[in-house]
Amino acid sequence: MGKVFKYGENVDTDVIIPARHLNTSDPAELAKHCMEDIDADFVSKVKAGDLIVAGRNFGCGSSREHAPIAIKAAGVSCVIAPTFARIFYRNSFNTGLPILECEEAAVRIAAGDEVEVNFKTGEIRNITKGEAYQAEAFPEFINRIIENDGLVNYVKNNL
Amino acid sequence: MGMTMTQKILAAHAGLKEVKAGQFIEADLDIVLANDITGPVAIKEFQKMGAERVFDKNKVVLVPDHFTPNKDIKAAEQCKMLREFAVDQKIENYFEVGEMGIEHALLPEKGIVVAGDAVIGADSHTCTYGALGAFATGIGSTDMAAGMARGKAWFKVPSAIRFELTGKPAKWVSGKDVILHIIGMIGVDGALYKSMEFMGPGLKNLSMDDRLAMANMAIEAGAKNGIFLVDDKTKEYLREHKNKNKAFKKKIKIYQPDKDAVYDETYVIDLSKIRPTVAFPHLPENTRTIDEVGDIRIDQVVIGSCTNGRMEDMKVAAKILKGKKVAKNLRLIIFPGTQHIYLECVKNGYAEIFVKAGAVFSTPTCGPCLGGHMGILAAGERAVATTNRNFVGRMGHVESEIYLASPAVAAATAVMGKIYNPEDL
């Protein structure tokens, strides 16, 4: 369970982690600058387990895996949006950042709401509003990657 | 049910007769690419996977182009890691500063990607190679690592949007204007998870440099890939840019969409109706024609990048800048895509035109496009750039602004100090 940080549509990877910080790939270092260009207070306010809820096409732009890495390392437990940009979508599963596609949740959940997510069932519970929303279940193929705890182990087990 | 061009390439690389949109497949890869930002992360993941050697040293391509020539110590460390990996793995297609270019300008020029290939690159603009009739898509570093280890990648087979091109573009209208027009029409997620397939009688009126610029920006509409039908121009280009390394055997394979291929949508685009187009801050979909721009003063103009750093782009810039001066207090930065293009600019006098006009003529680098180095913006500054993204803070300060345009509009702007129609010069 965590508190929600809410953002609009088309949150791009340049605001999630600006390129000026891409001269490192250290997760802790990247986390210090997470969301810096869209929300300068994010890093000082975010607590382990908090969630990001945003509008459609979250993570558009560059292929930098530094974006999901920075979000995960900042302590975010899940990102919820109606749709994700496709490279960000892949990168999230591959690096073990849980994401859920759910339009209703993205619309209904407000900044600061307490939210709980069941990744097995895809159920998103809004404790503050006393509501629940159902996200799309993961495709079976994605589940296999998740079961292997990310693509690194999936490949390790299939080399 | 018929398959799209993309689906046919994917089916062939997955060893399947047929694939359907939505199906998960694992495909064999012809090229696996990374740069100095994504490569180091991929190398670490590669090692974590327990992999020792890359699946094929001729099919892995590493290009240090983003923060090179090394912009600071950390960037130098990342490039060093890439270089050492390339040496250790005996990777033929590693391009050191001095021979490197911006990856998506370099690979087609060197004949490293050809029609029919399946390519992944840890860079979102990998979709550029669709101009050659290849399936090419951007992925992240972990996919890159898996690709280097196994020579395979997983894909969800995309559905597609068909763009039926007709007519001939007007004098100052380029592929950049066409793709900005399309993104303005369908939006930055208009092709999300899908292929954009370009075909039709208008294709013959688009040069390869036009097509490369268009396929390059497919990602800016959210697409998985952009791809062009192969025609005589493609074949001529592939002949002219044959890879000279004999060990690196490339086979051209031409795929056509089935006659009964299913497309989610079809747009008919009359190229003769497209006006020079500018994308306003802070999304590539915020497009206006040059006639609707108004009076916008500009501090910096950037001509180059993986979108518009090719020979034709340099040529059009030189044509406009010849005998002219850059507007007072405006900075014009021109960076060609590759060393070959750089040298051609020197040979045919473009470099002299640029320098005499008061421009900076730089070595190839991605630098300014992503706010890395070589042209960062201060708060309140406005730039016209021939690059591909105008997100908040992309080129520097979060309070700076980027207007995306063609090399012709950019060069005219550099001369006039405000966004300017090249037709009116």
Side-chain angles (χ1 to χ4, degrees), chain A residues 14 19 22-23 25 37 56 61 65 84 86 90-91 94 101 141 152, chain B residues 44-45 72 78 123 137 140-143 154 189 193 370 389 394 398:
Chain A
D14 277 277
L22 297 186
N23 53 6
S25 56
D37 282 1
R56 68 193 168 93
E65 213 158 270
F84 290 86
R86 57 159 291 275
R90 292 180 76 101
N91 287 350
N94 287 344
E101 286 189 332
F141 192 88
V152 169
Chain B
K44 282 187 207 160
E45 298 300 299
D72 54 28
Q78 295 201 119
D123 187 280
T137 192
S141 295
T142 304
D143 276 319
W154 65 267
D189 61 352
Y193 307 131
L370 75 161
R389 290 195 178 122
R394 170 80 175 175
V398 288

PDB file of all heavy atoms in Angstrom, chain A residues 14 19 22-23 25 37 56 61 65 84 86 90-91 94 101 141 152, chain B residues 44-45 72 78 123 137 140-143 154 189 193 370 389 394 398:
ATOM      1  N   ASP A  14      12.295  11.772 -20.965  1.00  0.00           N
ATOM      2  CA  ASP A  14      13.183  12.901 -20.693  1.00  0.00           C
ATOM      3  C   ASP A  14      12.838  13.596 -19.375  1.00  0.00           C
ATOM      4  O   ASP A  14      13.725  14.130 -18.717  1.00  0.00           O
ATOM      5  CB  ASP A  14      13.133  13.921 -21.834  1.00  0.00           C
ATOM      6  CG  ASP A  14      14.040  13.531 -22.992  1.00  0.00           C
ATOM      7  OD1 ASP A  14      15.238  13.814 -22.920  1.00  0.00           O
ATOM      8  OD2 ASP A  14      13.543  12.921 -23.947  1.00  0.00           O
ATOM      9  N   ALA A  19      18.384  13.461 -19.767  1.00  0.00           N
ATOM     10  CA  ALA A  19      19.605  12.893 -20.375  1.00  0.00           C
ATOM     11  C   ALA A  19      20.878  13.399 -19.717  1.00  0.00           C
ATOM     12  O   ALA A  19      21.902  12.732 -19.757  1.00  0.00           O
ATOM     13  CB  ALA A  19      19.628  13.197 -21.866  1.00  0.00           C
ATOM     14  N   LEU A  22      22.358  10.788 -17.676  1.00  0.00           N
ATOM     15  CA  LEU A  22      22.563   9.456 -18.248  1.00  0.00           C
ATOM     16  C   LEU A  22      24.030   9.083 -18.382  1.00  0.00           C
ATOM     17  O   LEU A  22      24.357   8.077 -18.991  1.00  0.00           O
ATOM     18  CB  LEU A  22      21.886   9.348 -19.622  1.00  0.00           C
ATOM     19  CG  LEU A  22      20.365   9.510 -19.636  1.00  0.00           C
ATOM     20  CD1 LEU A  22      19.826   9.235 -21.037  1.00  0.00           C
ATOM     21  CD2 LEU A  22      19.692   8.579 -18.635  1.00  0.00           C
ATOM     22  N   ASN A  23      24.914   9.908 -17.837  1.00  0.00           N
ATOM     23  CA  ASN A  23      26.318   9.512 -17.855  1.00  0.00           C
ATOM     24  C   ASN A  23      26.620   8.534 -16.723  1.00  0.00           C
ATOM     25  O   ASN A  23      27.751   8.179 -16.473  1.00  0.00           O
ATOM     26  CB  ASN A  23      27.258  10.734 -17.819  1.00  0.00           C
ATOM     27  CG  ASN A  23      26.951  11.662 -16.665  1.00  0.00           C
ATOM     28  OD1 ASN A  23      26.107  11.359 -15.822  1.00  0.00           O
ATOM     29  ND2 ASN A  23      27.634  12.797 -16.617  1.00  0.00           N
ATOM     30  N   SER A  25      24.783   4.742 -14.837  1.00  0.00           N
ATOM     31  CA  SER A  25      23.680   3.782 -14.868  1.00  0.00           C
ATOM     32  C   SER A  25      23.435   3.232 -13.459  1.00  0.00           C
ATOM     33  O   SER A  25      22.752   2.243 -13.283  1.00  0.00           O
ATOM     34  CB  SER A  25      23.992   2.654 -15.850  1.00  0.00           C
ATOM     35  OG  SER A  25      25.214   2.037 -15.509  1.00  0.00           O
ATOM     36  N   ASP A  37      12.300  16.786 -13.904  1.00  0.00           N
ATOM     37  CA  ASP A  37      11.860  17.873 -14.781  1.00  0.00           C
ATOM     38  C   ASP A  37      10.335  18.007 -14.891  1.00  0.00           C
ATOM     39  O   ASP A  37       9.823  18.874 -15.596  1.00  0.00           O
ATOM     40  CB  ASP A  37      12.480  17.724 -16.177  1.00  0.00           C
ATOM     41  CG  ASP A  37      13.943  18.192 -16.194  1.00  0.00           C
ATOM     42  OD1 ASP A  37      14.439  18.608 -15.126  1.00  0.00           O
ATOM     43  OD2 ASP A  37      14.570  18.142 -17.263  1.00  0.00           O
ATOM     44  N   ARG A  56      -2.562   8.592 -20.392  1.00  0.00           N
ATOM     45  CA  ARG A  56      -2.158   7.654 -21.450  1.00  0.00           C
ATOM     46  C   ARG A  56      -0.732   7.919 -21.962  1.00  0.00           C
ATOM     47  O   ARG A  56      -0.203   9.000 -21.822  1.00  0.00           O
ATOM     48  CB  ARG A  56      -3.154   7.713 -22.612  1.00  0.00           C
ATOM     49  CG  ARG A  56      -3.127   9.018 -23.362  1.00  0.00           C
ATOM     50  CD  ARG A  56      -4.316   9.179 -24.301  1.00  0.00           C
ATOM     51  NE  ARG A  56      -4.356  10.564 -24.758  1.00  0.00           N
ATOM     52  CZ  ARG A  56      -3.773  10.989 -25.874  1.00  0.00           C
ATOM     53  NH1 ARG A  56      -3.134  10.149 -26.657  1.00  0.00           N
ATOM     54  NH2 ARG A  56      -3.828  12.254 -26.203  1.00  0.00           N
ATOM     55  N   GLY A  61       8.942   8.282 -25.673  1.00  0.00           N
ATOM     56  CA  GLY A  61      10.242   8.860 -25.997  1.00  0.00           C
ATOM     57  C   GLY A  61      11.334   7.819 -26.064  1.00  0.00           C
ATOM     58  O   GLY A  61      11.152   6.761 -26.654  1.00  0.00           O
ATOM     59  N   GLU A  65      16.507   2.562 -20.468  1.00  0.00           N
ATOM     60  CA  GLU A  65      16.010   1.713 -19.396  1.00  0.00           C
ATOM     61  C   GLU A  65      16.213   2.404 -18.048  1.00  0.00           C
ATOM     62  O   GLU A  65      15.648   2.004 -17.037  1.00  0.00           O
ATOM     63  CB  GLU A  65      16.785   0.392 -19.438  1.00  0.00           C
ATOM     64  CG  GLU A  65      15.988  -0.792 -19.009  1.00  0.00           C
ATOM     65  CD  GLU A  65      16.592  -2.075 -19.567  1.00  0.00           C
ATOM     66  OE1 GLU A  65      16.223  -2.479 -20.666  1.00  0.00           O
ATOM     67  OE2 GLU A  65      17.446  -2.654 -18.883  1.00  0.00           O
ATOM     68  N   PHE A  84       0.783   2.524 -21.957  1.00  0.00           N
ATOM     69  CA  PHE A  84       2.209   2.838 -21.812  1.00  0.00           C
ATOM     70  C   PHE A  84       2.845   2.867 -23.199  1.00  0.00           C
ATOM     71  O   PHE A  84       2.440   2.119 -24.085  1.00  0.00           O
ATOM     72  CB  PHE A  84       2.914   1.770 -20.968  1.00  0.00           C
ATOM     73  CG  PHE A  84       2.521   1.811 -19.525  1.00  0.00           C
ATOM     74  CD1 PHE A  84       1.399   1.128 -19.079  1.00  0.00           C
ATOM     75  CD2 PHE A  84       3.253   2.558 -18.615  1.00  0.00           C
ATOM     76  CE1 PHE A  84       1.011   1.176 -17.743  1.00  0.00           C
ATOM     77  CE2 PHE A  84       2.879   2.613 -17.280  1.00  0.00           C
ATOM     78  CZ  PHE A  84       1.757   1.925 -16.840  1.00  0.00           C
ATOM     79  N   ARG A  86       5.438   1.757 -25.865  1.00  0.00           N
ATOM     80  CA  ARG A  86       5.786   0.335 -25.949  1.00  0.00           C
ATOM     81  C   ARG A  86       7.186  -0.027 -25.450  1.00  0.00           C
ATOM     82  O   ARG A  86       7.380  -1.079 -24.860  1.00  0.00           O
ATOM     83  CB  ARG A  86       5.560  -0.233 -27.347  1.00  0.00           C
ATOM     84  CG  ARG A  86       6.290   0.472 -28.453  1.00  0.00           C
ATOM     85  CD  ARG A  86       6.405  -0.436 -29.645  1.00  0.00           C
ATOM     86  NE  ARG A  86       7.314  -1.529 -29.364  1.00  0.00           N
ATOM     87  CZ  ARG A  86       8.633  -1.439 -29.508  1.00  0.00           C
ATOM     88  NH1 ARG A  86       9.191  -0.328 -29.898  1.00  0.00           N
ATOM     89  NH2 ARG A  86       9.399  -2.488 -29.258  1.00  0.00           N
ATOM     90  N   ARG A  90       7.962  -2.713 -22.274  1.00  0.00           N
ATOM     91  CA  ARG A  90       8.907  -3.842 -22.273  1.00  0.00           C
ATOM     92  C   ARG A  90       9.956  -3.677 -21.179  1.00  0.00           C
ATOM     93  O   ARG A  90      10.268  -4.615 -20.450  1.00  0.00           O
ATOM     94  CB  ARG A  90       9.683  -3.904 -23.590  1.00  0.00           C
ATOM     95  CG  ARG A  90       8.940  -4.248 -24.809  1.00  0.00           C
ATOM     96  CD  ARG A  90       9.897  -4.246 -25.993  1.00  0.00           C
ATOM     97  NE  ARG A  90      10.725  -5.439 -25.993  1.00  0.00           N
ATOM     98  CZ  ARG A  90      10.508  -6.497 -26.769  1.00  0.00           C
ATOM     99  NH1 ARG A  90       9.519  -6.486 -27.614  1.00  0.00           N
ATOM    100  NH2 ARG A  90      11.284  -7.557 -26.707  1.00  0.00           N
ATOM    101  N   ASN A  91      10.529  -2.477 -21.127  1.00  0.00           N
ATOM    102  CA  ASN A  91      11.615  -2.224 -20.185  1.00  0.00           C
ATOM    103  C   ASN A  91      11.171  -2.441 -18.744  1.00  0.00           C
ATOM    104  O   ASN A  91      11.951  -2.882 -17.901  1.00  0.00           O
ATOM    105  CB  ASN A  91      12.142  -0.798 -20.346  1.00  0.00           C
ATOM    106  CG  ASN A  91      12.968  -0.625 -21.612  1.00  0.00           C
ATOM    107  OD1 ASN A  91      13.297  -1.598 -22.279  1.00  0.00           O
ATOM    108  ND2 ASN A  91      13.293   0.614 -21.943  1.00  0.00           N
ATOM    109  N   ASN A  94      11.027  -6.143 -18.093  1.00  0.00           N
ATOM    110  CA  ASN A  94      12.385  -6.683 -18.153  1.00  0.00           C
ATOM    111  C   ASN A  94      13.219  -6.310 -16.939  1.00  0.00           C
ATOM    112  O   ASN A  94      14.130  -7.039 -16.561  1.00  0.00           O
ATOM    113  CB  ASN A  94      13.083  -6.185 -19.429  1.00  0.00           C
ATOM    114  CG  ASN A  94      12.549  -6.875 -20.682  1.00  0.00           C
ATOM    115  OD1 ASN A  94      11.894  -7.903 -20.590  1.00  0.00           O
ATOM    116  ND2 ASN A  94      12.823  -6.307 -21.837  1.00  0.00           N
ATOM    117  N   GLU A 101      -2.085  -1.528 -16.764  1.00  0.00           N
ATOM    118  CA  GLU A 101      -2.906  -0.704 -17.653  1.00  0.00           C
ATOM    119  C   GLU A 101      -4.340  -0.731 -17.149  1.00  0.00           C
ATOM    120  O   GLU A 101      -4.978  -1.789 -17.120  1.00  0.00           O
ATOM    121  CB  GLU A 101      -2.852  -1.243 -19.093  1.00  0.00           C
ATOM    122  CG  GLU A 101      -1.523  -0.951 -19.773  1.00  0.00           C
ATOM    123  CD  GLU A 101      -1.524  -1.275 -21.255  1.00  0.00           C
ATOM    124  OE1 GLU A 101      -2.276  -2.178 -21.684  1.00  0.00           O
ATOM    125  OE2 GLU A 101      -0.782  -0.623 -21.989  1.00  0.00           O
ATOM    126  N   PHE A 141       2.823 -14.806 -21.807  1.00  0.00           N
ATOM    127  CA  PHE A 141       4.254 -14.672 -22.117  1.00  0.00           C
ATOM    128  C   PHE A 141       4.944 -13.748 -21.113  1.00  0.00           C
ATOM    129  O   PHE A 141       6.035 -14.019 -20.627  1.00  0.00           O
ATOM    130  CB  PHE A 141       4.417 -14.125 -23.537  1.00  0.00           C
ATOM    131  CG  PHE A 141       5.812 -14.209 -24.055  1.00  0.00           C
ATOM    132  CD1 PHE A 141       6.251 -15.347 -24.705  1.00  0.00           C
ATOM    133  CD2 PHE A 141       6.705 -13.156 -23.887  1.00  0.00           C
ATOM    134  CE1 PHE A 141       7.549 -15.437 -25.182  1.00  0.00           C
ATOM    135  CE2 PHE A 141       8.001 -13.236 -24.363  1.00  0.00           C
ATOM    136  CZ  PHE A 141       8.428 -14.385 -25.011  1.00  0.00           C
ATOM    137  N   VAL A 152      16.518 -11.067 -17.277  1.00  0.00           N
ATOM    138  CA  VAL A 152      17.881 -11.560 -17.041  1.00  0.00           C
ATOM    139  C   VAL A 152      17.841 -13.028 -16.631  1.00  0.00           C
ATOM    140  O   VAL A 152      18.523 -13.870 -17.217  1.00  0.00           O
ATOM    141  CB  VAL A 152      18.602 -10.705 -15.969  1.00  0.00           C
ATOM    142  CG1 VAL A 152      19.896 -11.368 -15.527  1.00  0.00           C
ATOM    143  CG2 VAL A 152      18.891  -9.313 -16.519  1.00  0.00           C
TER     144      VAL A 152
ATOM    145  N   LYS B  44      26.342  -4.965 -18.592  1.00  0.00           N
ATOM    146  CA  LYS B  44      26.197  -5.451 -17.204  1.00  0.00           C
ATOM    147  C   LYS B  44      25.131  -6.540 -17.119  1.00  0.00           C
ATOM    148  O   LYS B  44      25.317  -7.548 -16.432  1.00  0.00           O
ATOM    149  CB  LYS B  44      25.822  -4.290 -16.277  1.00  0.00           C
ATOM    150  CG  LYS B  44      27.009  -3.397 -15.919  1.00  0.00           C
ATOM    151  CD  LYS B  44      26.586  -2.376 -14.872  1.00  0.00           C
ATOM    152  CE  LYS B  44      27.429  -1.117 -14.966  1.00  0.00           C
ATOM    153  NZ  LYS B  44      26.789   0.039 -14.340  1.00  0.00           N
ATOM    154  N   GLU B  45      24.008  -6.336 -17.807  1.00  0.00           N
ATOM    155  CA  GLU B  45      22.927  -7.328 -17.795  1.00  0.00           C
ATOM    156  C   GLU B  45      23.388  -8.619 -18.490  1.00  0.00           C
ATOM    157  O   GLU B  45      23.060  -9.723 -18.053  1.00  0.00           O
ATOM    158  CB  GLU B  45      21.681  -6.781 -18.497  1.00  0.00           C
ATOM    159  CG  GLU B  45      21.072  -5.541 -17.846  1.00  0.00           C
ATOM    160  CD  GLU B  45      20.618  -5.758 -16.416  1.00  0.00           C
ATOM    161  OE1 GLU B  45      19.729  -6.609 -16.214  1.00  0.00           O
ATOM    162  OE2 GLU B  45      21.155  -5.105 -15.499  1.00  0.00           O
ATOM    163  N   ASP B  72      32.335  14.239 -20.454  1.00  0.00           N
ATOM    164  CA  ASP B  72      32.862  14.381 -19.098  1.00  0.00           C
ATOM    165  C   ASP B  72      33.454  13.040 -18.654  1.00  0.00           C
ATOM    166  O   ASP B  72      33.464  12.076 -19.428  1.00  0.00           O
ATOM    167  CB  ASP B  72      31.786  14.891 -18.122  1.00  0.00           C
ATOM    168  CG  ASP B  72      30.532  14.027 -18.134  1.00  0.00           C
ATOM    169  OD1 ASP B  72      30.641  12.816 -18.438  1.00  0.00           O
ATOM    170  OD2 ASP B  72      29.439  14.547 -17.844  1.00  0.00           O
ATOM    171  N   GLN B  78      31.913   5.328 -19.473  1.00  0.00           N
ATOM    172  CA  GLN B  78      30.915   4.507 -20.182  1.00  0.00           C
ATOM    173  C   GLN B  78      31.446   4.087 -21.553  1.00  0.00           C
ATOM    174  O   GLN B  78      31.278   2.953 -21.975  1.00  0.00           O
ATOM    175  CB  GLN B  78      29.595   5.275 -20.334  1.00  0.00           C
ATOM    176  CG  GLN B  78      28.934   5.566 -18.999  1.00  0.00           C
ATOM    177  CD  GLN B  78      27.439   5.843 -19.133  1.00  0.00           C
ATOM    178  OE1 GLN B  78      26.624   5.132 -18.580  1.00  0.00           O
ATOM    179  NE2 GLN B  78      27.074   6.888 -19.867  1.00  0.00           N
ATOM    180  N   ASP B 123      18.020   1.894 -28.694  1.00  0.00           N
ATOM    181  CA  ASP B 123      17.854   3.315 -28.987  1.00  0.00           C
ATOM    182  C   ASP B 123      16.510   3.427 -29.689  1.00  0.00           C
ATOM    183  O   ASP B 123      16.249   2.696 -30.645  1.00  0.00           O
ATOM    184  CB  ASP B 123      18.967   3.837 -29.897  1.00  0.00           C
ATOM    185  CG  ASP B 123      18.875   5.350 -30.054  1.00  0.00           C
ATOM    186  OD1 ASP B 123      18.044   5.818 -30.869  1.00  0.00           O
ATOM    187  OD2 ASP B 123      19.591   6.065 -29.344  1.00  0.00           O
ATOM    188  N   THR B 137      13.244  -2.015 -34.624  1.00  0.00           N
ATOM    189  CA  THR B 137      12.522  -1.420 -33.505  1.00  0.00           C
ATOM    190  C   THR B 137      13.445  -1.151 -32.325  1.00  0.00           C
ATOM    191  O   THR B 137      14.434  -1.873 -32.125  1.00  0.00           O
ATOM    192  CB  THR B 137      11.339  -2.329 -33.091  1.00  0.00           C
ATOM    193  OG1 THR B 137      10.496  -1.612 -32.191  1.00  0.00           O
ATOM    194  CG2 THR B 137      11.803  -3.614 -32.414  1.00  0.00           C
ATOM    195  N   GLY B 140      15.018  -1.722 -24.899  1.00  0.00           N
ATOM    196  CA  GLY B 140      15.880  -1.248 -23.825  1.00  0.00           C
ATOM    197  C   GLY B 140      17.116  -2.114 -23.677  1.00  0.00           C
ATOM    198  O   GLY B 140      17.344  -3.059 -24.445  1.00  0.00           O
ATOM    199  N   SER B 141      17.904  -1.785 -22.674  1.00  0.00           N
ATOM    200  CA  SER B 141      19.198  -2.447 -22.510  1.00  0.00           C
ATOM    201  C   SER B 141      19.089  -3.928 -22.170  1.00  0.00           C
ATOM    202  O   SER B 141      19.930  -4.725 -22.589  1.00  0.00           O
ATOM    203  CB  SER B 141      19.999  -1.724 -21.423  1.00  0.00           C
ATOM    204  OG  SER B 141      20.294  -0.414 -21.839  1.00  0.00           O
ATOM    205  N   THR B 142      18.059  -4.310 -21.393  1.00  0.00           N
ATOM    206  CA  THR B 142      17.945  -5.724 -21.014  1.00  0.00           C
ATOM    207  C   THR B 142      17.582  -6.574 -22.232  1.00  0.00           C
ATOM    208  O   THR B 142      18.121  -7.660 -22.429  1.00  0.00           O
ATOM    209  CB  THR B 142      16.918  -5.897 -19.879  1.00  0.00           C
ATOM    210  OG1 THR B 142      17.329  -5.065 -18.790  1.00  0.00           O
ATOM    211  CG2 THR B 142      16.857  -7.317 -19.396  1.00  0.00           C
ATOM    212  N   ASP B 143      16.676  -6.063 -23.070  1.00  0.00           N
ATOM    213  CA  ASP B 143      16.376  -6.763 -24.324  1.00  0.00           C
ATOM    214  C   ASP B 143      17.621  -6.853 -25.201  1.00  0.00           C
ATOM    215  O   ASP B 143      17.856  -7.858 -25.874  1.00  0.00           O
ATOM    216  CB  ASP B 143      15.279  -6.009 -25.104  1.00  0.00           C
ATOM    217  CG  ASP B 143      13.874  -6.380 -24.634  1.00  0.00           C
ATOM    218  OD1 ASP B 143      13.633  -7.575 -24.382  1.00  0.00           O
ATOM    219  OD2 ASP B 143      13.022  -5.482 -24.539  1.00  0.00           O
ATOM    220  N   TRP B 154      11.813 -11.339 -28.023  1.00  0.00           N
ATOM    221  CA  TRP B 154      10.368 -11.621 -28.033  1.00  0.00           C
ATOM    222  C   TRP B 154       9.606 -10.401 -28.552  1.00  0.00           C
ATOM    223  O   TRP B 154       9.985  -9.261 -28.285  1.00  0.00           O
ATOM    224  CB  TRP B 154       9.860 -12.050 -26.650  1.00  0.00           C
ATOM    225  CG  TRP B 154       9.923 -11.014 -25.541  1.00  0.00           C
ATOM    226  CD1 TRP B 154      10.940 -10.836 -24.647  1.00  0.00           C
ATOM    227  CD2 TRP B 154       8.936 -10.026 -25.201  1.00  0.00           C
ATOM    228  NE1 TRP B 154      10.651  -9.810 -23.788  1.00  0.00           N
ATOM    229  CE2 TRP B 154       9.428  -9.291 -24.098  1.00  0.00           C
ATOM    230  CE3 TRP B 154       7.667  -9.690 -25.716  1.00  0.00           C
ATOM    231  CZ2 TRP B 154       8.716  -8.253 -23.495  1.00  0.00           C
ATOM    232  CZ3 TRP B 154       6.961  -8.652 -25.112  1.00  0.00           C
ATOM    233  CH2 TRP B 154       7.490  -7.947 -24.024  1.00  0.00           C
ATOM    234  N   ASP B 189       0.518   9.149 -29.669  1.00  0.00           N
ATOM    235  CA  ASP B 189       0.276   7.719 -29.447  1.00  0.00           C
ATOM    236  C   ASP B 189      -0.683   7.166 -30.498  1.00  0.00           C
ATOM    237  O   ASP B 189      -1.319   6.136 -30.296  1.00  0.00           O
ATOM    238  CB  ASP B 189      -0.227   7.448 -28.017  1.00  0.00           C
ATOM    239  CG  ASP B 189      -1.545   8.138 -27.715  1.00  0.00           C
ATOM    240  OD1 ASP B 189      -2.005   8.954 -28.551  1.00  0.00           O
ATOM    241  OD2 ASP B 189      -2.129   7.869 -26.646  1.00  0.00           O
ATOM    242  N   TYR B 193       1.898   0.753 -30.198  1.00  0.00           N
ATOM    243  CA  TYR B 193       2.064  -0.703 -30.338  1.00  0.00           C
ATOM    244  C   TYR B 193       1.937  -1.187 -31.782  1.00  0.00           C
ATOM    245  O   TYR B 193       1.962  -2.381 -32.043  1.00  0.00           O
ATOM    246  CB  TYR B 193       1.058  -1.499 -29.476  1.00  0.00           C
ATOM    247  CG  TYR B 193       1.010  -1.128 -28.012  1.00  0.00           C
ATOM    248  CD1 TYR B 193      -0.213  -0.871 -27.377  1.00  0.00           C
ATOM    249  CD2 TYR B 193       2.162  -1.051 -27.240  1.00  0.00           C
ATOM    250  CE1 TYR B 193      -0.273  -0.531 -26.038  1.00  0.00           C
ATOM    251  CE2 TYR B 193       2.106  -0.716 -25.902  1.00  0.00           C
ATOM    252  CZ  TYR B 193       0.889  -0.460 -25.300  1.00  0.00           C
ATOM    253  OH  TYR B 193       0.824  -0.136 -23.963  1.00  0.00           O
ATOM    254  N   LEU B 370      19.652  15.602 -27.411  1.00  0.00           N
ATOM    255  CA  LEU B 370      19.085  15.136 -26.143  1.00  0.00           C
ATOM    256  C   LEU B 370      19.619  15.940 -24.962  1.00  0.00           C
ATOM    257  O   LEU B 370      19.565  15.493 -23.823  1.00  0.00           O
ATOM    258  CB  LEU B 370      19.332  13.630 -25.948  1.00  0.00           C
ATOM    259  CG  LEU B 370      20.725  13.141 -25.567  1.00  0.00           C
ATOM    260  CD1 LEU B 370      20.628  11.745 -24.981  1.00  0.00           C
ATOM    261  CD2 LEU B 370      21.671  13.170 -26.711  1.00  0.00           C
ATOM    262  N   ARG B 389      12.550  15.361 -31.040  1.00  0.00           N
ATOM    263  CA  ARG B 389      11.742  15.485 -29.820  1.00  0.00           C
ATOM    264  C   ARG B 389      11.823  16.897 -29.282  1.00  0.00           C
ATOM    265  O   ARG B 389      12.901  17.485 -29.238  1.00  0.00           O
ATOM    266  CB  ARG B 389      12.233  14.514 -28.734  1.00  0.00           C
ATOM    267  CG  ARG B 389      11.925  13.113 -29.102  1.00  0.00           C
ATOM    268  CD  ARG B 389      12.051  12.137 -27.946  1.00  0.00           C
ATOM    269  NE  ARG B 389      11.663  10.846 -28.475  1.00  0.00           N
ATOM    270  CZ  ARG B 389      12.407   9.758 -28.478  1.00  0.00           C
ATOM    271  NH1 ARG B 389      13.581   9.778 -27.871  1.00  0.00           N
ATOM    272  NH2 ARG B 389      11.984   8.649 -29.038  1.00  0.00           N
ATOM    273  N   ARG B 394      14.239  18.779 -22.955  1.00  0.00           N
ATOM    274  CA  ARG B 394      14.981  17.853 -23.828  1.00  0.00           C
ATOM    275  C   ARG B 394      16.362  18.407 -24.212  1.00  0.00           C
ATOM    276  O   ARG B 394      17.330  17.678 -24.293  1.00  0.00           O
ATOM    277  CB  ARG B 394      14.135  17.591 -25.084  1.00  0.00           C
ATOM    278  CG  ARG B 394      14.853  16.842 -26.191  1.00  0.00           C
ATOM    279  CD  ARG B 394      14.892  15.356 -25.943  1.00  0.00           C
ATOM    280  NE  ARG B 394      15.492  14.660 -27.082  1.00  0.00           N
ATOM    281  CZ  ARG B 394      15.753  13.364 -27.108  1.00  0.00           C
ATOM    282  NH1 ARG B 394      15.468  12.615 -26.074  1.00  0.00           N
ATOM    283  NH2 ARG B 394      16.287  12.799 -28.154  1.00  0.00           N
ATOM    284  N   VAL B 398      14.439  23.363 -18.242  1.00  0.00           N
ATOM    285  CA  VAL B 398      13.007  23.005 -18.352  1.00  0.00           C
ATOM    286  C   VAL B 398      12.165  24.169 -18.862  1.00  0.00           C
ATOM    287  O   VAL B 398      11.069  23.972 -19.377  1.00  0.00           O
ATOM    288  CB  VAL B 398      12.399  22.503 -17.023  1.00  0.00           C
ATOM    289  CG1 VAL B 398      12.909  21.123 -16.675  1.00  0.00           C
ATOM    290  CG2 VAL B 398      12.639  23.452 -15.872  1.00  0.00           C
TER     291      VAL B 398
END
